[in-house]
Amino acid sequence: MQKVKNVLLVVCVILPALLITLDNLFPLPLKEARMARVVLSDDGTPLWRFADGNGVWRFPVSIDEVSPYYIDALLAYEDRYFYHHFGINPVSVVRAFFQNLYSGKIVSGASTLTMQTARLIEPHRRTLLGKTRQLWRALQLEWHLSKDEILTIYLNRAPFGGTIEGIRAAAWSYLGKEPAELSRAEAALMVALPQAPSRLRPDRFPKEAQNARDKVLDRLLKFGVFSEEQVKDAKEEDIYLPPRFVPQLAPLFARRTLAMTDDLVIETNIDAAMQENLEDIARNAKSALRPATSLAFLVVDHTDMSVKAYVGSADINDESRFGHVDMVSAIRSPGSTLKPFIYTLAIDEGLIHSESLLLDTPRIASYRPANFSTAFSGAASASQALEKSLNLPAVQLMEAYGPKRFTAKLSNAGIKLALPRHGEPNLSIILGGVGISLDRLVSAYSAFARGGSISPLRYLKGDDLASYDFVGAGAAWVTRRMLSGEADPAFYRHGFVSMAYKTGTSYGYRDAWAVGISSRYIIGVWVGRPDGTPVAEQFGAAVAVPFLLRINNYLHSRAISSFIINYSLDEMPASVGSASICWPSGQPLPKGDPNCRVEKRAWIVNGVTPPTLLSNTQDFLMGGWYTYYEDDRHERVAFDCKNAVKKRLALWPVALSPWLSAGEQISRRLPKKSKICPPSEESELVRPLFIKEVKDGDIFTKHKSETLLIPAISSQGGSGTRWWFLNGDLIAQNGENDFLSYTFTKNGGYQLVVMDESGQSYKVEFGVEGIE
């Protein structure tokens, strides 16, 4: 009786206590089974992998993500009693012992799937001690984990040759598909591979791999897992392997996502086919790019702001082009790409409408930018100024709206501009005197596709769709029309809008930009040198726009061939209307009114037709309305003269005088002054300003003995200091009676503009030839 008690004591108390102690002293090394990280496209295609510390690629997978054919085949071939034993199968142990004893060598093993899993998480040598550790770990696995959890570890850690571990990594590497899509033949092949992964690799030894697969199929037929017909059909499948699949898409994007989440499997919104196509475009373009020049593409579906393609450089493997530098996230000067935002803010604020009169004329303020094309063009409508990317009108709007307010408005909508250190927002912001990345710029352009709201980009599937109010839907809609070249309401087609885009070129040709909005996508393109070195004559329209149009054509063709609905109706908001307006006042006038010097059809918002900027003054130098009195002889008289009638004259800003026809000059439009009862304001007109020695169309030829091509030039009329501009650049400043001298070094056409303190200007256009 005492012996029985002693046995019970050992079995019920001492042995459990010993096992618990050993379990605590030698815990399962599950934490060491760290998975690699994998970045997936929107359909689950692996884009890029980040191997573990040993360089092994394990693609995390769960049981329900694997084909039932593979699960059934694996259990039948490796461990039919997996769900019934406690980690060690005594029947298999006895069977293997007698088979090996009878054969005189090892012909059969007794390892269960649990024991194989134990060896995977803690490899060991094939010794008695190693086998003992394997048995102990198998028992621990059974105590701590469920059968499905053990099977999941095996599915993720089974060796398949080289650095490939796990069924999902193997299915993608050898077969180019998800493990859920495995056929019976493919499932049998995947079961066979871990038996001898190096010797049975199907990409190197297809014959040996096929024999091993057929052996598995025979076993499955014997155990009734597959029918005879199913096995026959499976054996008829040749082992055809597509080119070895290695995830090599969107490397810079994948690297960026690592900081966005701790997930092992990073699910993104990238479209794998689109990404591959755009990467091909980038690589094939290298031969046409200047040395050390890179590029970046970004495509966003503006219906939900999901990032569909992200090309951060021309080629990540090209060190000569700084291929490892992600130019989608790099801070660069945006050139003119911010101009649409000052126009839409000005429209939303009621400062302008689509056809407001703006001035492309010299400035005498401290900030005097020139146009990209150097010369001034005079009067420009808001739509023309934006379409042609004129600098001076954009600065005029920024001055009226305010650079600090502009910066704050963008910042409140999530678009933060990088100002120079200790710098304050100033007028140069609108011409690229600030920093922004391509992804932020594309996000900002969502305002023109999403009813005036700016939305952050959605990189990952779990990212929420957010929106920040920026401008009203009407202002955004009108600006998009202006960008698309369809600003004339007469050509409006309901619900349809062409691709709208804007280019930009930073100072010194360091950055070339193009951002476009189609019916579904926002496309961003950047071209330049990542190290900031200038590249002569590399500007947005020349190098970035061709990429933009090529990408847009690809997306359009892709939509048609795939029967994808790629168009969303561009419905006109209720706040938008159209009106006939007149220049120079910028407002509607009765039909036949003599003050309607130029009639235009404009898009307006909320029924408001703003007057021409800076026209709310009686000072005719700034434009606006000039009041005078006229008698029955149609002469200008004093207000208290007999038969005096009050009249108003819509004035062109004096700065436009050089670009106006003779009939539009104020001296021609105002009635002559009465000699009988003259007006009292004798100072009401200033003397017209003009250049004396040069006239339009002159050609100056350099002779061998000459260096000064044009004689001393002077101006007459006007008042105060003179500023002289040659092809848009300020070249001199002098007094009323001073002369200008200039030495020319290049042949070609020139535009010379003089401007005085009153705001008057005068221009002449001439040519220079004979310079060698």
Side-chain angles (χ1 to χ4, degrees):
M1 191 65 179
Q2 185 61 37
K3 289 183 179 181
V4 173
K5 289 181 179 180
N6 291 338
V7 170
L8 290 174
L9 178 63
V10 170
V11 173
C12 297
V13 179
I14 298 177
L15 183 58
L18 178 62
L19 293 176
I20 292 173
T21 301
L22 290 173
D23 186 54
N24 289 326
L25 290 175
F26 306 101
L28 277 170
L30 292 178
K31 291 183 179 180
E32 297 177 11
R34 176 70 177 174
M35 291 292 175
R37 302 185 72 181
V38 182
V39 181
L40 306 183
S41 69
D42 58 354
D43 65 355
T45 301
L47 297 173
W48 198 263
R49 61 183 181 177
F50 295 93
D52 67 2
N54 297 319
V56 175
W57 180 31
R58 302 184 191 92
F59 194 161
V61 69
S62 59
I63 295 176
D64 57 3
E65 294 174 318
V66 180
S67 168
Y69 297 147
Y70 177 78
I71 299 297
D72 292 343
L74 175 67
L75 294 178
Y77 190 80
E78 292 289 350
D79 192 352
R80 284 189 296 160
Y81 303 104
F82 173 70
Y83 281 99
H84 304 287
H85 59 63
F86 54 89
I88 301 170
N89 188 345
V91 176
S92 296
V93 173
V94 173
R95 172 185 52 76
F97 174 78
F98 283 106
Q99 286 180 343
N100 296 336
L101 182 65
Y102 178 78
S103 301
K105 60 181 179 179
I106 298 177
V107 297
S108 177
S111 292
T112 63
L113 270 180
T114 305
M115 293 171 65
Q116 293 181 46
T117 303
R119 187 174 184 184
L120 291 175
I121 65 173
E122 189 179 55
H124 60 80
R125 294 183 178 181
R126 292 181 178 274
T127 62
L128 180 61
L129 178 60
K131 197 67 175 178
T132 302
R133 289 182 60 185
Q134 181 183 12
L135 293 172
W136 167 244
R137 293 303 189 194
L139 293 174
Q140 284 183 296
L141 285 169
E142 294 286 342
W143 292 338
H144 290 282
L145 304 178
S146 68
K147 289 290 187 180
D148 284 350
E149 289 172 331
I150 296 171
L151 181 57
T152 298
I153 293 176
Y154 179 87
L155 294 176
N156 282 280
R157 297 296 297 260
F160 284 88
T163 58
I164 302 171
E165 290 189 5
I167 181 59
R168 199 171 193 179
W172 273 112
S173 295
Y174 295 122
L175 305 173
K177 61 173 63 176
E178 284 282 0
E181 301 170 0
L182 296 178
S183 66
R184 289 183 176 86
E186 292 167 341
L189 174 64
M190 293 295 105
V191 169
L193 283 183
Q195 309 304 312
S198 299
R199 183 170 55 85
L200 299 179
R201 281 184 57 168
D203 56 334
R204 295 182 180 177
F205 310 105
K207 183 69 174 177
E208 289 80 356
Q210 184 166 340
N211 291 338
R213 178 202 68 180
D214 292 347
K215 179 182 176 182
V216 172
L217 288 171
D218 290 337
R219 179 80 65 87
L220 299 178
L221 174 62
K222 176 181 177 181
F223 293 149
V225 178
F226 295 162
S227 68
E228 186 174 350
E229 183 178 355
Q230 290 169 341
V231 170
K232 180 181 177 182
D233 292 342
K235 286 185 176 182
E236 289 178 356
E237 287 187 25
D238 291 331
I239 293 185
Y240 167 75
L241 297 178
R244 179 77 176 274
F245 178 82
V246 178
Q248 290 184 329
L249 289 175
L252 295 175
F253 170 76
R255 185 179 71 188
R256 186 174 179 181
T257 62
L258 293 181
M260 298 179 184
T261 177
D262 293 328
D263 294 343
L264 295 177
V265 178
I266 304 173
E267 297 180 321
T268 76
N269 292 312
I270 292 289
D271 183 310
M274 188 187 301
Q275 179 71 28
E276 184 174 11
N277 189 280
L278 265 62
E279 289 189 13
D280 286 342
I281 291 175
R283 278 191 295 268
N284 294 334
K286 288 200 302 180
S287 60
L289 295 175
R290 303 280 185 88
T293 299
S294 190
L295 51 74
F297 304 149
L298 188 64
V299 178
V300 174
D301 185 337
H302 60 65
T303 62
D304 62 4
M305 295 306 292
S306 57
V307 175
K308 309 311 292 183
Y310 186 117
V311 179
S313 67
D315 184 350
I316 193 172
N317 297 313
D318 191 339
E319 288 299 319
S320 70
R321 298 185 185 276
F322 308 92
H324 61 285
V325 180
D326 182 4
M327 298 311 300
V328 170
S329 60
I331 302 297
R332 308 289 291 200
S333 167
S336 295
T337 56
L338 292 180
K339 286 178 181 174
F341 299 97
I342 191 59
Y343 281 86
T344 201
L345 286 168
I347 293 172
D348 195 57
E349 190 71 13
L351 296 177
I352 61 170
H353 49 66
S354 67
E355 298 303 310
S356 286
L357 172 62
L358 299 176
L359 305 182
D360 184 26
T361 59
R363 286 171 52 86
I364 59 174
S366 59
Y367 182 56
R368 295 187 291 266
N371 286 319
F372 189 79
S373 60
T374 67
F376 303 107
S377 58
S381 69
S383 59
Q384 291 171 335
L386 181 56
E387 185 178 359
K388 295 179 181 179
S389 196
L390 299 177
N391 288 343
L392 278 303
V395 171
Q396 181 186 1
L397 292 178
M398 179 63 90
E399 197 167 39
Y401 190 83
K404 289 185 178 180
R405 188 180 176 200
F406 176 84
T407 305
K409 189 74 173 178
L410 280 172
S411 179
N412 291 337
I415 306 300
K416 305 211 178 280
L417 303 178
L419 296 169
R421 181 176 293 182
H422 307 305
E424 289 289 329
N426 55 55
L427 296 178
S428 69
I429 286 175
I430 203 60
L431 303 185
V434 73
I436 194 172
S437 58
L438 180 60
D439 52 356
R440 287 186 188 175
L441 191 61
V442 167
S443 174
Y445 269 74
S446 66
F448 306 119
R450 298 180 59 80
S453 295
I454 291 178
S455 295
L457 305 186
R458 296 178 56 246
Y459 296 100
L460 308 182
K461 277 194 171 181
D463 290 345
D464 294 330
L465 177 60
S467 289
Y468 300 95
D469 292 338
F470 184 62
V471 293
W477 188 90
V478 171
T479 307
R480 183 172 175 183
R481 288 276 160 183
M482 294 163 64
L483 287 170
S484 66
E486 298 176 354
D488 190 342
F491 299 101
Y492 172 61
R493 289 174 288 173
H494 176 74
F496 179 82
V497 64
S498 301
M499 184 179 187
Y501 69 88
K502 184 72 189 73
T503 63
T505 306
S506 67
Y507 178 75
Y509 302 99
R510 289 173 170 81
D511 307 272
W513 304 80
V515 184
I517 308 164
S518 71
S519 57
R520 181 171 178 178
Y521 298 104
I522 305 174
I523 306 167
V525 176
W526 174 90
V527 181
R529 286 189 52 152
D531 63 355
T533 301
V535 181
E537 300 303 313
Q538 182 169 267
F539 52 94
V543 298
V545 168
F547 288 119
L548 176 74
L549 298 180
R550 183 173 178 183
I551 293 170
N552 187 57
N553 290 338
Y554 157 71
L555 295 174
H556 183 70
S557 301
R558 179 176 181 263
I560 294 175
S561 62
S562 305
F563 300 100
I564 300 173
I565 299 175
N566 200 35
Y567 301 97
S568 57
L569 290 178
D570 182 47
E571 297 287 354
M572 183 170 65
S575 60
V576 175
S578 63
S580 292
I581 62 95
C582 295
W583 280 6
S585 70
Q587 295 182 295
L589 291 175
K591 193 169 183 64
D593 191 314
N595 284 304
C596 190
R597 312 307 292 178
V598 176
E599 186 175 6
K600 291 180 173 288
R601 193 76 182 169
W603 291 113
I604 61 174
V605 177
N606 298 322
V608 176
T609 52
T612 298
L613 271 178
L614 303 179
S615 64
N616 57 343
T617 175
Q618 293 296 320
D619 182 358
F620 82 93
L621 295 176
M622 303 300 292
W625 292 95
Y626 177 70
T627 301
Y628 65 95
Y629 291 86
E630 185 180 282
D631 63 12
D632 51 9
R633 291 187 300 273
H634 302 293
E635 293 182 344
R636 191 154 39 97
V637 298
F639 74 94
D640 54 354
C641 295
K642 184 180 179 180
N643 299 323
V645 178
K646 187 177 181 179
K647 297 282 187 177
R648 288 205 314 162
L649 186 70
L651 297 177
W652 295 96
V654 164
L656 293 176
S657 296
W659 290 269
L660 297 176
S661 65
E664 291 300 318
Q665 299 295 334
I666 189 170
S667 59
R668 292 285 189 92
R669 291 181 58 207
L670 273 175
K672 68 178 182 178
K673 195 172 355 178
S674 171
K675 295 181 179 179
I676 300 173
C677 188
S680 59
E681 305 89 353
E682 290 302 325
S683 61
E684 60 185 355
L685 296 176
V686 296
R687 295 175 299 157
L689 176 68
F690 64 94
I691 296 173
K692 293 174 58 177
E693 290 79 12
V694 183
K695 61 181 183 295
D696 280 332
D698 281 351
I699 299 294
F700 295 89
T701 303
K702 177 185 181 300
H703 299 291
K704 291 184 178 180
S705 61
E706 293 181 342
T707 56
L708 190 63
L709 296 179
I710 300 176
I713 302 171
S714 64
S715 62
Q716 187 170 320
S719 62
T721 304
R722 269 68 165 151
W723 290 267
W724 296 85
F725 298 85
L726 186 67
N727 286 352
D729 293 326
L730 179 66
I731 60 170
Q733 176 180 334
N734 57 28
E736 288 188 42
N737 301 314
D738 294 335
F739 288 86
L740 168 71
S741 296
Y742 188 81
T743 301
F744 289 83
T745 59
K746 293 182 180 179
N747 295 321
Y750 289 88
Q751 181 191 78
L752 181 65
V753 177
V754 61
M755 190 175 190
D756 70 2
E757 288 185 16
S758 71
Q760 288 194 92
S761 60
Y762 187 85
K763 76 171 177 66
V764 291
E765 295 181 350
F766 57 90
V768 172
E769 61 183 28
I771 298 177
E772 297 177 357

